[in-house]
Amino acid sequence: MLIFSVFKTLTDQRVTVELKNDLSITGTLKSVDQFLNIRLDGIKVLDEQRYPHMMAVKNCFIRGSVVRYVQLPAEHVDTQLLEDATRREAANQTKR
Amino acid sequence: MDATAAPGIQEPFDLIRLSLSERVFVKLRGDRELTGVLHAYDGHMNLILSDVEETILIVDGGEGGKTNGTVNLAKRKMAMLFVRGDGVILVRTSYDLLDAIDLCRRQKIVQKCAKLC
Amino acid sequence: MSFFSFESNDLEKEKQRYLTGEVKEEGLTEYTWGDNSYDGLGDVLQERGDELNDETFGGIGDVGKDFDFTRQVLPGDVPLELRQTPALQHTNGLSHERSLSPPQKHAYLSQSSSSLQSIWDNKSPFSVLPKMAASTSRVADHHARPVTTPDLLSQSQSTHSTFSPFADSIPLRHSPALSQESSLPLAGSQMEGRTLQEIEAEMRASAMRSREAPQLRQQQLLQAQARTPPPRLHPHAQSPRFHQLQQHILIQQQQQQQQQQQQLQDLQEQLRVEELERQLRAQQISQLQQQQQQMLLRRQSPSGPTLAEIQAAQHLAQLQQEQRRRQHSPALDQRYHMPQPLQESAQFLPQNIQMQQRLLAELAQAEFMRDYGTPQTQEEQEALRAEAVRKIMEAERMEEKRRRKASKIAHMSRYNDLMTQSDKDFITRIQVSQLVTQDPYLEDWYCQTLSRLRRARQGLQPEEQRVLTFDSGVGVGLGMPGQRPSGRKLSAVQRMEAQVERIVNNARQREREKGLQSLNSLQGALGKTAGRSYKAAPRQLLQVDSTKPAANGGHTEDEFKARLGEHAAKEAAKLRRGVFGEAYDEEHNFVKQDPLTRLEVLVIIEHLYDLVLEADIFVERHGLLDDVEGLDERKEHRAKLINSMYEGLKIKLPIETSNPHPFISLLGPVKGKRLLSRIVPYLEGEHLLTLLTLFVTCFPQLDVVTRAPILDSMEDTPEKREIERQTTAFQEFVMSMSMVPVFHKVELRVLAGLLSFLHERGELVTIARTKPGLDLLCLFLSRADSLIHAYDTGPEARPPPTVDSLTTWRVMFDGMFDTLTPHILDLFPSERILRAQTGGTAQIPPEQLDTTAWQFLASVGAMASLSQQQTLVTALREKVLDLVIGVKKGWVADPEERNMKMKNVNIFLHALQLDSSQITV
């Protein structure tokens, strides 16, 4: 749930999602769910020459499992808080 | 209280926890490697890293078992990166292996001393 | 809806395809018609009589001549249906109304069912189909006697109406025009084929047979009904809820039966009227037929039919058509399509389809029969009967099968409706709560906390919408408008700068208060500040006596120590003793340890973080200690937590424990630096003093100090970057966030004592050559400045420092000043870098590096005595002039760099009541 929580704070930010098939899509993060499925608006594919069929696509829903990376806007991530959250989560996990 | 004597490492994730806000090396599927500062992880090994440098190993040619294909390294940098856990092969924490060995050795010594006393 | 997963559309399509000859027969066996219901009987069918297929299906083109519309006109045939229907109604009684419909259907069907053998042997899709789905109707079918063709026509009509999409709703409206079109040529061609006598004979025979049939059929049907109770009444149904449901169904049924009763009464009425009509019509028709006969006779004569004849024939055909429709009474039709009670409705559709298929098959069969006459010899009929018996057995087997199936469904359905909707909702809630906890701080802590922080930063009510609820939290962002990037980092640097600025401003203000004479004393110190006639380099006007500083303060360590007042020495010793207790005095009474390994450091840090988080959560929950109940307990718990943290920081270990000291090791990693800023707010009084003393004493051991020289390089190496990262973190978390608050609580005499530590150890210069060191010294000066001039006017304002402590501080400051002055240029990173660069292309280090040094010197300058200021000016004169001239002559291209240089110079000059504008080039 931690990562889900993080993505929630990044809604309406521009992110770049890199898929496992090397397709990179930049777009505005509209929503995310606990499977880390991602909905992007106003998307732009990085290598449009290679994926011309994506040119007309303006928004998309990405299944979480096909994601390799998501590049996040660093200025919108509070790393200290994030680490605390991770520690809390880790503590919760061990308590269970 | 004496964390030195009881290092509180019970499971693998405890080791990763030690690397929080430390620079880590991550090996991924598809001949990719990352170094970056670890800020978050979860039970799926999903990671959030900052100040990331990715290295992709690209082997050109060398088809049919021939190993004379050239190996290219592609590098790129990313400020803040979420890495999905299913691609992670290993996370190497930043402290030296020697350190760990050293700790074990010293713990043994301490135990011996305790017995002697 | 469709129980056997039949799609009526598909069948319709299939039929169409067969009719048009698109699909070959071979494909039939492969088609399973829905795996559930197909019992494979189609595969074991005897494949005989293929040779007639072409006759049956092939030359279908001229369909018209195969229909004999004239036959059923016979009056004997007409009332058959009518007689039958009311009879059924009476015998079955109204309570059996529901079960009435199938028998009625069968009455219809079986009347028309022709030679069984041909039906069963026929491989056409329409004859195969009915064998696949088991139903009560099958039973009835197989008791059917050989029936002659005439009824087929009425059957074909009913088939037609059942197929028609409009049939259900408007059975009567069956377009007259259409039927006229189709029947007209048919009638004509029929008449050509046979004589009236033949037709009449045939019809009489069929009427006889059909009259015998109904009673028998009906009996069998009733038996079949008794054998198969409706599935929903199955004894397996035991659940109380099921019984409830049953009752409900029963009530519904009763209602339905009442409705049906009503309808039936209407129906009977209607039928009676219709019967009368029909009889009337039949008379008409027989009259017409006599005419027709005459016509036919005439037609055999060479002359063609007259117009009158044709018209008459048309009229006859029309009437026949009408009659057929009447026979297929609208009321009956309605009855036929009456809504089926609940569980039958599932079978309704397939049955209907079956019916259609069977009718089609029979239609085809009838064609065949008519074309080739009824070949039934005695033997054949015997064989047919034997075959029929076999078929009946088979049908019974299938019936058994159906019942098993029905009972199985009933068995499963006894668990139906065990849970109410609220039960289901409850379980759904449990499942969802597994995903989203009610405590958003546990699972969604990051999101919740960050949004709270952001709201706080924006000055919104922190309480407002504090916790995002379950509903809005899933997959929904917070949509924080206009986020400010990294507000914390900015403030850390700004706070440091603000400190220096305050010192400088304070100094200026004091000078102004003192009057102008002190200002004048430095006038022109940097050279001639006016006079345009001098175009040469500024002439040095200031005559600084180089011996003067030496006279003021000692240059050497010895001198310094000698001059170190008793107070300072005493303070330092007392401080050390107070802080480190006995351990410090008895220097050899502690275990000397190896420095902590990195792994140990990390483990300790993480353990401390656990404590910090626990304390955070504790404070979060019991932030206000005004709840009296359990107050002591909570206080105790809190104190215990804090003590654990304090112990964990290893501050109490003697200074000499290891090098670096464990505490300093803990400050190694960034998160260790950060950790300090998390713990410090929890510490109080004695703990803070100990922390500060240890920190200052062991300052030179810090990684950011020991490794600082690596920064004095223009090369960009990973190591340097790492140290830069550490230095930034140190400045932010340790200095700005931890030490500034700590220094804020320190008295002047402690400051003096701490400064003497550094001095004693001879590490002042080393420290001052690093950025963190300069920051630390700045903190000293800043705190002293505010203490001396009593700017600290907070609620915890202390009494102004005693004369003693002032003197001690002065001595320490002088000592520091004298120690650093000889190395003053070394304080500038740019100078160090330039000196290190030997040969090659010298890179000019950015001015930004020197900012801290300028700030420190400004602080020193503000606090320095007059003579010390003059010393400062002398030492830095060239550096200042370099910068100012460089900027003013435009040698520095980059405007930002120019601004930075001017800013740096001015911050220093302002501390001395000077300004760069006073310098002329």
Side-chain angles (χ1 to χ4, degrees), chain B residues 4 17-18 21-22 99 102, chain C residues 597-598 600 606 610 671:
Chain B
T4 321
R17 185 181 161 178
L18 295 181
S21 80
E22 292 287 297
D99 255 9
D102 183 45
Chain C
T597 62
R598 189 155 176 79
E600 287 170 306
E606 286 302 330
D610 277 340
K671 60 175 162 180

Side-chain angles (χ1 to χ4, degrees), chain C residues 775-791:
Chain C
D775 283 340
L776 179 74
L777 295 176
C778 266
L779 267 181
F780 270 104
L781 297 178
S782 149
R783 177 62 186 162
D785 183 67
S786 59
L787 280 174
I788 291 167
H789 301 286
Y791 291 117

Side-chain angles (χ1 to χ4, degrees), chain C residues 352-646:
Chain C
N352 206 8
I353 291 160
Q354 247 180 296
M355 194 82 64
Q356 293 170 0
Q357 299 298 336
R358 185 175 302 128
L359 289 173
L360 269 165
E362 280 161 1
L363 191 66
Q365 182 65 29
E367 271 177 46
F368 168 69
M369 290 292 286
R370 194 187 41 68
D371 282 352
Y372 291 86
T374 31
Q376 280 139 359
T377 66
Q378 194 61 32
E379 279 176 18
E380 277 175 326
Q381 281 184 350
E382 279 301 318
L384 207 65
R385 225 162 273 145
E387 181 70 1
V389 170
R390 197 180 61 81
K391 300 293 177 195
I392 290 164
M393 299 295 283
E394 206 167 86
E396 274 170 358
R397 267 206 341 266
M398 283 162 68
E399 171 61 16
E400 183 61 28
K401 207 173 173 182
R402 188 196 69 82
R403 261 187 296 157
R404 274 208 306 276
K405 202 170 191 174
S407 79
K408 200 173 172 186
I409 291 167
H411 184 73
M412 287 191 296
S413 70
R414 69 182 164 156
Y415 297 115
N416 281 0
D417 287 300
L418 269 179
M419 292 168 71
T420 61
Q421 190 54 42
S422 65
D423 290 341
K424 290 173 190 167
D425 288 346
F426 181 67
I427 286 175
T428 311
R429 229 177 301 139
I430 291 174
Q431 287 173 328
V432 174
S433 68
Q434 295 286 310
L435 297 172
V436 184
T437 52
Q438 289 297 314
D439 181 7
Y441 279 115
L442 196 68
E443 291 286 335
D444 200 17
W445 187 79
Y446 176 80
C447 183
Q448 302 295 340
T449 312
L450 187 63
S451 53
R452 200 174 43 168
L453 281 176
R454 283 175 180 170
R455 273 194 292 272
R457 252 175 250 162
Q458 282 167 16
L460 292 170
Q461 270 315 86
E463 293 303 309
E464 155 205 358
Q465 214 199 352
R466 225 182 69 159
V467 174
L468 280 182
T469 47
F470 174 106
D471 305 319
S472 59
V474 184
V476 179
L478 296 166
M480 300 301 295
Q483 288 146 351
R484 239 178 41 186
S486 62
R488 205 179 341 204
K489 238 174 223 171
L490 269 178
S491 71
V493 178
Q494 279 167 347
R495 265 153 79 183
M496 286 302 279
E497 278 175 8
Q499 294 244 321
V500 174
E501 216 157 298
R502 204 193 65 220
I503 298 173
V504 171
N505 286 338
N506 290 344
R508 283 183 110 178
Q509 215 169 353
R510 283 197 303 278
E511 291 305 320
R512 227 168 277 138
E513 284 162 11
K514 266 193 235 168
L516 284 171
Q517 84 254 30
S518 59
L519 192 96
N520 292 336
S521 71
L522 277 177
Q523 199 119 56
L526 294 164
K528 196 168 160 60
T529 56
R532 282 179 195 170
S533 53
Y534 295 93
K535 283 176 184 170
R539 198 156 38 119
Q540 188 178 358
L541 296 180
L542 189 68
Q543 302 292 323
V544 180
D545 186 355
S546 60
T547 58
K548 209 176 170 188
N552 278 355
H555 262 296
T556 63
E557 295 277 299
D558 290 340
E559 261 183 273
F560 168 73
K561 273 187 179 162
R563 296 185 78 264
L564 190 63
E566 270 176 56
H567 295 293
K570 262 191 224 162
E571 274 310 320
K574 214 167 39 181
L575 197 62
R576 255 177 295 191
R577 250 199 312 283
V579 167
F580 301 108
E582 302 303 304
Y584 189 80
D585 285 333
E586 304 158 30
E587 277 191 30
H588 303 287
N589 196 15
F590 61 86
V591 185
K592 184 115 175 144
Q593 290 177 355
D594 286 337
L596 294 176
T597 62
R598 189 155 176 79
L599 179 62
E600 287 170 306
V601 166
L602 292 172
V603 170
I604 294 169
I605 288 173
E606 286 302 330
H607 175 70
L608 282 171
Y609 264 114
D610 277 340
L611 292 172
V612 169
L613 287 174
E614 200 182 333
D616 282 355
I617 293 168
F618 186 79
V619 170
E620 216 169 73
R621 298 233 170 100
H622 315 282
L624 300 169
L625 291 170
D626 49 18
D627 187 4
V628 185
E629 201 170 319
L631 181 64
D632 290 340
E633 273 175 45
R634 272 180 280 135
K635 267 185 179 166
E636 199 182 314
H637 183 69
R638 193 182 134 96
K640 224 167 94 185
L641 271 175
I642 292 171
N643 205 48
S644 303
M645 288 191 273
Y646 177 69

Side-chain angles (χ1 to χ4, degrees), chain C residues 764-766 768-769 817-828 832 835 857 875:
Chain C
L764 262 180
V765 177
T766 322
R769 283 181 183 187
F817 185 89
D818 293 338
T819 314
L820 289 182
T821 314
H823 310 281
I824 203 151
L825 282 180
D826 260 4
L827 302 187
F828 295 98
R832 295 200 294 269
R835 204 182 319 135
L857 290 173

Side-chain angles (χ1 to χ4, degrees), chain C residues 2-116:
Chain C
S2 165
F3 191 76
F4 295 110
S5 63
F6 277 144
E7 287 291 332
S8 55
N9 282 347
D10 284 350
L11 285 169
E12 196 80 342
K13 244 182 273 163
E14 283 298 315
K15 186 188 74 181
Q16 211 59 47
R17 285 169 71 204
Y18 275 107
L19 285 175
T20 54
E22 240 182 275
V23 175
K24 297 280 173 264
E25 282 181 340
E26 289 77 66
L28 257 181
T29 49
E30 286 157 29
Y31 190 60
T32 57
W33 305 92
D35 292 329
N36 288 343
S37 59
Y38 184 53
D39 51 20
L41 281 177
D43 292 340
V44 300
L45 283 176
Q46 291 174 333
E47 305 272 320
R48 286 200 269 126
D50 284 7
E51 65 277 6
L52 297 178
N53 280 352
D54 278 349
E55 300 294 340
T56 313
F57 300 106
I60 236 168
D62 194 16
V63 180
K65 85 172 193 229
D66 295 329
F67 286 81
D68 184 1
F69 290 100
T70 52
R71 295 183 191 185
Q72 59 176 115
V73 181
L74 287 179
D77 216 8
V78 174
L80 177 69
E81 307 257 348
L82 296 166
R83 256 175 276 142
Q84 195 182 345
T85 332
L88 268 172
Q89 282 162 2
H90 290 304
T91 46
N92 284 340
L94 291 174
S95 60
H96 287 81
E97 192 52 42
R98 192 177 46 73
S99 53
L100 242 175
S101 55
Q104 250 183 351
K105 276 186 257 175
H106 308 318
Y108 253 114
L109 277 171
S110 36
Q111 267 185 343
S112 60
S113 63
S114 47
S115 156
L116 273 172

Side-chain angles (χ1 to χ4, degrees), chain C residues 160-448:
Chain C
H160 194 125
S161 65
T162 345
F163 276 147
S164 155
F166 308 107
D168 288 2
S169 49
I170 37 166
L172 246 185
R173 298 249 175 98
H174 191 307
S175 132
L178 224 160
S179 50
Q180 198 180 350
E181 274 172 13
S182 59
S183 64
L184 181 64
L186 289 179
S189 58
Q190 276 298 322
M191 281 177 267
E192 273 180 322
R194 298 177 181 214
T195 65
L196 185 65
Q197 284 87 352
E198 279 172 0
I199 295 164
E200 273 176 348
E202 238 176 46
M203 290 186 111
R204 263 195 297 277
S206 80
M208 283 293 287
R209 276 189 295 255
S210 55
R211 244 171 247 138
E212 291 159 15
Q215 284 82 7
L216 178 68
R217 264 200 318 270
Q218 205 176 316
Q219 273 179 357
Q220 283 162 345
L221 275 169
L222 285 170
Q223 282 168 8
Q225 285 284 322
R227 276 206 306 274
T228 48
R232 90 193 136 69
L233 292 174
H234 204 276
H236 281 294
Q238 288 154 347
S239 122
R241 277 190 207 289
F242 187 83
H243 285 305
Q244 278 179 11
L245 184 70
Q246 265 189 332
Q247 279 176 353
H248 180 67
I249 292 168
L250 277 174
I251 293 167
Q252 275 193 337
Q253 278 179 349
Q254 280 167 8
Q255 287 170 350
Q256 261 178 349
Q257 281 173 0
Q258 280 167 9
Q259 285 175 358
Q260 286 172 358
Q261 231 171 312
Q262 187 70 37
Q263 283 173 337
L264 264 175
Q265 280 166 7
D266 296 348
L267 196 77
Q268 284 169 2
E269 199 64 38
Q270 212 178 331
L271 282 171
R272 227 170 288 142
V273 175
E274 278 174 5
E275 193 174 355
L276 284 171
E277 254 180 31
R278 232 169 271 167
Q279 280 169 356
L280 221 112
R281 230 168 262 268
Q283 282 174 4
Q284 270 188 345
I285 288 172
S286 62
Q287 282 170 6
L288 271 166
Q289 274 178 335
Q290 273 166 12
Q291 288 175 13
Q292 206 177 357
Q293 202 177 1
Q294 288 165 4
M295 258 157 51
L296 282 169
L297 286 170
R298 233 178 291 160
R299 225 167 129 185
Q300 284 162 350
S301 65
S303 67
T306 62
L307 183 67
E309 280 168 2
I310 293 168
Q311 276 174 344
Q314 279 176 350
H315 183 56
L316 175 65
Q318 230 170 339
L319 274 170
Q320 284 172 343
Q321 189 78 20
E322 187 93 337
Q323 174 137 17
R324 276 195 297 275
R325 271 205 315 273
R326 288 287 168 169
Q327 267 180 333
H328 181 168
S329 135
L332 273 176
D333 214 324
Q334 204 182 348
R335 178 67 196 78
Y336 200 90
H337 293 286
M338 215 163 261
Q340 305 286 318
L342 284 172
Q343 94 283 6
E344 262 187 17
S345 62
Q347 294 166 349
F348 175 71
L349 190 59
Q351 262 182 3
N352 206 8
I353 291 160
Q354 247 180 296
M355 194 82 64
Q356 293 170 0
Q357 299 298 336
R358 185 175 302 128
L359 289 173
L360 269 165
E362 280 161 1
L363 191 66
Q365 182 65 29
E367 271 177 46
F368 168 69
M369 290 292 286
R370 194 187 41 68
D371 282 352
Y372 291 86
T374 31
Q376 280 139 359
T377 66
Q378 194 61 32
E379 279 176 18
E380 277 175 326
Q381 281 184 350
E382 279 301 318
L384 207 65
R385 225 162 273 145
E387 181 70 1
V389 170
R390 197 180 61 81
K391 300 293 177 195
I392 290 164
M393 299 295 283
E394 206 167 86
E396 274 170 358
R397 267 206 341 266
M398 283 162 68
E399 171 61 16
E400 183 61 28
K401 207 173 173 182
R402 188 196 69 82
R403 261 187 296 157
R404 274 208 306 276
K405 202 170 191 174
S407 79
K408 200 173 172 186
I409 291 167
H411 184 73
M412 287 191 296
S413 70
R414 69 182 164 156
Y415 297 115
N416 281 0
D417 287 300
L418 269 179
M419 292 168 71
T420 61
Q421 190 54 42
S422 65
D423 290 341
K424 290 173 190 167
D425 288 346
F426 181 67
I427 286 175
T428 311
R429 229 177 301 139
I430 291 174
Q431 287 173 328
V432 174
S433 68
Q434 295 286 310
L435 297 172
V436 184
T437 52
Q438 289 297 314
D439 181 7
Y441 279 115
L442 196 68
E443 291 286 335
D444 200 17
W445 187 79
Y446 176 80
C447 183
Q448 302 295 340

Side-chain angles (χ1 to χ4, degrees), chain A residues 62-79:
Chain A
I62 300 169
R63 188 185 152 96
S65 63
V66 302
V67 171
R68 179 188 289 137
Y69 302 139
V70 181
Q71 293 180 42
L72 313 172
E75 64 274 18
H76 292 291
V77 179
D78 187 324
T79 53

